[in-house]
Amino acid sequence: QVQLVESGGGLVQAGGSLRLSCAASGRTSSTYAMGWFRQAPGKEREFVVAISMSGTKSYYADSVKGRFTASRDNAKNTVYLQMSSLKPEDTAVYYCAAGCSGVGCHDEDNYDYWGQGTQVTVSS
């Protein structure tokens, strides 16, 4: 089993920045590619970014391209999401996910493990 714990969420004004962290523990060798998803109240959970095991390849949703940057530090078993130029539309609970084999990692159904989420609120 893999356990994921997100942190770094909070309240920020539009145009500001936040960095989310996701610490993995357990059988981290089974995490494969990792991803970030988000879910706003009353909306479906949506894909944000997927990052390869090595951290050299990332795939971003169009809505966050140029504003969000994913990275990972395998020595620390941690993946990060640096968010800048935040908009009110970015307000959501952000979830870290792990276990995608590398195919279809934009689809939440292809992940095996999920964190509990961290709230990001962007005020106007």
Side-chain angles (χ1 to χ4, degrees), residues 78-97:
T78 301
V79 64
Y80 304 94
L81 182 65
Q82 178 66 49
M83 306 182 294
S84 61
S85 301
L86 284 163
K87 305 174 181 180
E89 298 93 312
D90 296 318
T91 295
V93 176
Y94 283 71
Y95 296 91
C96 177

Side-chain angles (χ1 to χ4, degrees), residues 4-90:
L4 304 174
V5 180
E6 302 97 334
S7 62
L11 175 64
V12 64
Q13 293 184 344
S17 300
L18 283 174
R19 187 182 72 163
L20 306 183
S21 299
C22 175
S25 61
R27 292 184 290 176
T28 56
S29 62
S30 299
T31 59
Y32 305 105
M34 299 183 69
W36 288 95
F37 291 76
R38 65 187 183 185
Q39 186 169 26
K43 296 184 178 181
E44 297 180 345
R45 185 158 57 186
E46 66 175 344
F47 169 77
V48 177
V49 61
I51 183 170
S52 66
M53 183 181 300
S54 66
T56 59
K57 297 180 180 180
S58 297
Y59 172 65
Y60 296 88
D62 289 341
S63 60
V64 304
K65 285 182 179 178
R67 300 189 299 118
F68 291 11
T69 302
S71 62
R72 63 191 299 170
D73 185 340
N74 289 335
K76 298 181 179 179
N77 295 316
T78 301
V79 64
Y80 304 94
L81 182 65
Q82 178 66 49
M83 306 182 294
S84 61
S85 301
L86 284 163
K87 305 174 181 180
E89 298 93 312
D90 296 318

